[in-house]
Amino acid sequence: MSDEVKIPLPRSLQEIVGALLFASESPLTQQELRNAVRAVEAEEGENKEIMDVYKSCTSKEISEALRGLEKALKVAGIGYELVCTGGTYRMQTIPSTGRYVRAMLKLDRPSRLGRASLETLAIIAYRQPITKGEIEEIRGVDVSANIKTLVDLQLIRLVGKSELPGHPFLYGTTPIFLEHFGLSSLQELNKLDPTLQRSNPRLKAESYKKVEKKTELEKAAAEAAEAAETKVEEQKVEGEVQVEGEEVKEDTELELGLETSTTDESNNESEDDDDFFIDDTPDEFDEEDEEDEDEELEDDDGAVDDDDADGV
């Protein structure tokens, strides 16, 4: 049997958690830490009972280990600390040592945000999710350039679309925002300034829904009013058409009556005209006819007499 040196087991869960965070390239959640601890199996010759204790760790035990590690680092004062940002944990240097770290790594001084960008970021942080129009309503100026700067720095991002008319984009902060300002969650914003209380995203989403429902009700009411108005207009038009039809009918009957009466009068006038030419001949014409007849008779008598004379 070879004299192989055995590596001792960790003394506590806190040591394991600290080592995992120190070695990780990215922040880890409590669940990721727990999965990493439970994934290790006991090797031959190791104390299986101790390994089983680590393997059966709970989320509460992981949380206690993180709190213990945070206190230990603060007490030790070794230049870095445990930070929780957005539900994830990581080791990072304390702010007071930042200039020395940048000098060693030859990093440029980080760019600072202007006052306008900071004001816009603060509004988004406290009022998210929020639209560009709402930000401009609060600030009273155009914020397009500020929003573009914050998006480029990955401090804010699009989180959805509003149910308001036009469906404008909604903006919210990113995990980098929490990391940059050293916040474990957005709830800590209320601690920074008690006069500025962060809006509740769930309640704000409900307000959007209420606005949407109100808009739908108004739309339905407007449609109902429009339908009623249209119906009234149709009834009015039908009434006018009916009245016009009756008027036309009366006018037609009146015209037909006038034509009938005119026809009767014309017929009567025709009959009267016939009677006029037959019965109403002027007397002067009758006298002339009688005189002509008398003259003719006299001529005839004279002619007969002459003939008789000649014959005799």
Side-chain angles (χ1 to χ4, degrees), residues 136-195:
E136 292 176 343
E137 185 177 354
I138 295 173
R139 291 205 59 209
V141 295
D142 181 56
V143 295
S144 301
N146 303 135
I147 287 179
K148 184 179 184 304
T149 300
L150 296 174
V151 170
D152 292 340
L153 294 174
Q154 298 182 0
L155 294 174
I156 64 171
R157 62 190 174 100
L158 296 175
V159 295
K161 287 186 176 182
S162 171
E163 296 297 334
L164 297 174
H167 300 286
F169 289 113
L170 293 170
Y171 292 92
T173 56
T174 65
I176 295 179
F177 164 80
L178 298 175
E179 179 183 333
H180 181 79
F181 290 95
L183 301 173
S184 60
S185 67
L186 293 173
Q187 299 297 332
E188 293 188 8
L189 289 172
N190 296 336
K191 299 178 183 179
L192 297 178
D193 189 347
T195 62

Side-chain angles (χ1 to χ4, degrees), residues 126-294:
Y126 277 93
R127 301 298 178 186
Q128 62 182 312
I130 189 170
T131 64
K132 176 175 172 287
E134 291 173 329
I135 300 171
E136 292 176 343
E137 185 177 354
I138 295 173
R139 291 205 59 209
V141 295
D142 181 56
V143 295
S144 301
N146 303 135
I147 287 179
K148 184 179 184 304
T149 300
L150 296 174
V151 170
D152 292 340
L153 294 174
Q154 298 182 0
L155 294 174
I156 64 171
R157 62 190 174 100
L158 296 175
V159 295
K161 287 186 176 182
S162 171
E163 296 297 334
L164 297 174
H167 300 286
F169 289 113
L170 293 170
Y171 292 92
T173 56
T174 65
I176 295 179
F177 164 80
L178 298 175
E179 179 183 333
H180 181 79
F181 290 95
L183 301 173
S184 60
S185 67
L186 293 173
Q187 299 297 332
E188 293 188 8
L189 289 172
N190 296 336
K191 299 178 183 179
L192 297 178
D193 189 347
T195 62
L196 297 174
Q197 293 297 313
R198 190 178 69 88
S199 61
N200 190 324
R202 182 176 299 176
L203 294 178
K204 195 158 188 180
E206 290 295 331
S207 68
Y208 286 133
K209 292 180 181 178
K210 289 179 182 178
V211 170
E212 180 184 9
K213 290 179 181 178
K214 184 178 179 182
T215 304
E216 290 179 354
L217 291 175
E218 291 177 352
K219 184 178 180 181
E223 291 179 354
E226 185 178 356
E229 185 177 356
T230 303
K231 187 174 180 180
V232 170
E233 290 180 356
E234 290 178 354
Q235 292 177 353
K236 185 177 179 182
V237 171
E238 289 178 358
E240 291 178 353
V241 171
Q242 186 175 2
V243 171
E244 290 178 358
E246 292 177 356
E247 292 178 353
V248 170
K249 184 177 180 181
E250 292 177 358
D251 293 340
T252 304
E253 292 177 353
L254 181 60
E255 291 177 358
L256 290 174
L258 291 174
E259 290 179 357
T260 304
S261 61
T262 304
T263 304
D264 294 339
E265 291 178 358
S266 300
N267 293 332
N268 293 332
E269 289 178 357
S270 300
E271 292 176 357
D272 293 340
D273 292 341
D274 294 339
D275 295 340
F276 171 78
F277 289 109
I278 295 173
D279 300 330
D280 297 336
T281 304
D283 295 337
E284 56 183 359
F285 291 106
D286 294 339
E287 292 177 356
E288 291 178 356
D289 292 338
E290 290 176 358
E291 291 177 358
D292 293 337
E293 289 177 357
D294 293 337

Side-chain angles (χ1 to χ4, degrees), residues 47-79:
N47 190 335
K48 191 174 184 301
E49 293 180 358
I50 296 177
M51 295 295 294
D52 288 341
V53 171
Y54 296 149
K55 186 175 178 63
S56 61
C57 67
T58 62
S59 298
K60 184 178 180 181
E61 292 173 342
I62 293 292
S63 179
E64 292 176 353
L66 288 167
R67 285 197 295 269
L69 180 60
E70 183 181 5
K71 292 179 181 179
L73 291 173
K74 285 183 179 179
V75 172
I78 54 178

